[in-house]
């Protein structure tokens, strides 16, 4: 009797594991994976767009620290694009961008700030830092969500690559905060009309 029960239990757990395997197979071609790939195309477009925007932001910046931060982040961004290409390759997908409305808007806002502030002022640097941090926060939200989604889909190597980029975006955000707090904000406070 006891044995029979145990056998019954084993059969049930075997069934459960077959079901789990089937579910995992479904997940791999699921709507969720489709969404994952669409989101990757969005951030791929966004990173490529930033490669165009960052040199303009560097040119508009006055403080040497901020100029260097933008120059460094341009290099980092180029590496992130290579990393995304690797991700597409791992997924057997074409590395293809899909217009990101948010990044388009954020860089447009940055251009507006440059136009509205006076060149050579710390006030413009403060505005550039705010604009850049909005960009980094969009990227942090995206990479954080996509790394997690990668893990949910069982794509652990992909998730690991996305985590590396996530950390780089966080570091950049912190660096921008430091530049604002240590230099630029105080200088800007002294600037009058
Ligand atoms: Fe980036
Ligand atoms: Fe987007
Ligand atoms: Fe970034």
């Amino acid at each position: 009797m006891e044995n029979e029960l145990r056998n019954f239990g084993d059969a049930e757990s075997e069934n459960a594991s077959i079901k789990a395997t089937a579910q995992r197979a479904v997940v791999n071609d699921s709507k969720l994976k489709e969404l994952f790939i669409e989101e990757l195309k969005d951030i791929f477009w966004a990173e490529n767009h930033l490669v165009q925007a960052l040199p303009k932001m560097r040119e508009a910046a006055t403080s040497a620290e901020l100029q260097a931060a933008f120059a460094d982040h341009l290099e980092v961004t180029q590496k992130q694009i290579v990393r995304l290409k690797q991700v597409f390759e791992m997924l057997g997908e074409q590395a293809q961008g899909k217009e990101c409305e948010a990044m388009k808007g954020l860089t447009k806002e940055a251009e507006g700030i440059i136009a509205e502030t006076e060149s050579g002022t710390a006030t413009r640097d403060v505005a550039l830092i705010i604009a850049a941090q909005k960009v980094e926060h969009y990227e942090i939200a995206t990479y954080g969500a996509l790394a997690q989604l990668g893990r949910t889909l069982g794509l652990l190597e992909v998730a690991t690559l996305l985590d590396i980029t996530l950390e780089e975006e966080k570091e950049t955000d912190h660096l921008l905060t430091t530049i604002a707090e240590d230099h630029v904000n105080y200088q800007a406070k002294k600037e009058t009309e």
Side-chain angles (χ1 to χ4, degrees):
M1 178 70 186
E2 225 176 78
N3 259 345
E4 263 170 51
L5 270 180
R6 198 176 303 132
N7 284 340
F8 179 70
D10 284 351
E12 203 172 42
S13 73
E14 204 176 300
N15 267 344
S17 92
I18 290 167
K19 223 186 261 177
T21 310
Q23 261 165 4
R24 230 170 290 140
V26 169
V27 161
N28 280 337
D29 278 315
S30 64
K31 290 278 169 201
L32 190 61
K33 186 162 178 207
E34 238 173 73
L35 173 71
F36 183 63
I37 290 161
E38 287 305 297
E39 287 292 317
L40 284 168
K41 289 178 181 173
D42 179 280
I43 195 66
F44 186 65
W45 189 94
E47 296 285 18
N48 278 289
H49 191 63
L50 280 171
V51 165
Q52 316 290 316
L54 281 164
K56 292 182 208 161
M57 293 173 83
R58 188 202 55 221
E59 274 168 45
T62 301
S63 101
E65 290 86 355
L66 189 54
Q67 282 179 0
F70 285 142
D72 284 351
H73 202 56
L74 175 62
E75 273 182 43
V76 169
T77 301
Q78 279 159 340
K79 284 184 194 141
Q80 292 173 345
I81 289 170
V82 174
R83 205 173 286 136
L84 281 174
K85 283 182 182 167
Q86 260 175 279
V87 166
F88 282 113
E89 210 182 298
M90 286 159 100
L91 295 168
E93 295 285 331
Q94 287 264 30
Q96 211 177 33
K98 188 180 130 199
E99 191 168 277
C100 169
E101 293 288 348
M103 196 55 77
K104 210 173 144 191
L106 287 170
T107 54
K108 205 172 161 201
E109 197 169 290
E111 276 169 26
I113 280 164
I114 296 169
E116 284 160 24
T117 52
E118 218 174 297
S119 87
T121 62
T123 302
R124 176 181 276 182
D125 279 2
V126 170
L128 284 169
I129 290 172
I130 294 172
Q133 285 191 297
K134 287 179 186 178
V135 167
E136 295 315 308
H137 279 246
Y138 179 80
E139 294 183 303
I140 290 166
T142 303
Y143 284 108
L146 288 183
Q148 190 48 53
L149 207 46
R151 277 187 285 276
T152 303
L153 291 167
L155 304 163
L156 301 185
E157 281 175 70
V158 166
T160 301
L161 286 180
L162 297 174
D163 273 332
I164 296 170
T165 300
L166 174 63
E167 287 314 308
E168 289 172 349
E169 309 295 18
K170 284 185 187 169
E171 270 170 39
T172 304
D173 180 50
H174 288 150
L175 175 65
L176 289 167
T177 298
T178 306
I179 295 171
E181 285 175 355
D182 289 356
H183 319 271
V184 175
N185 283 0
Y186 295 104
Q187 262 169 274
K189 208 181 158 201
K190 286 184 254 161
E191 286 174 353
T192 50
E193 289 283 323

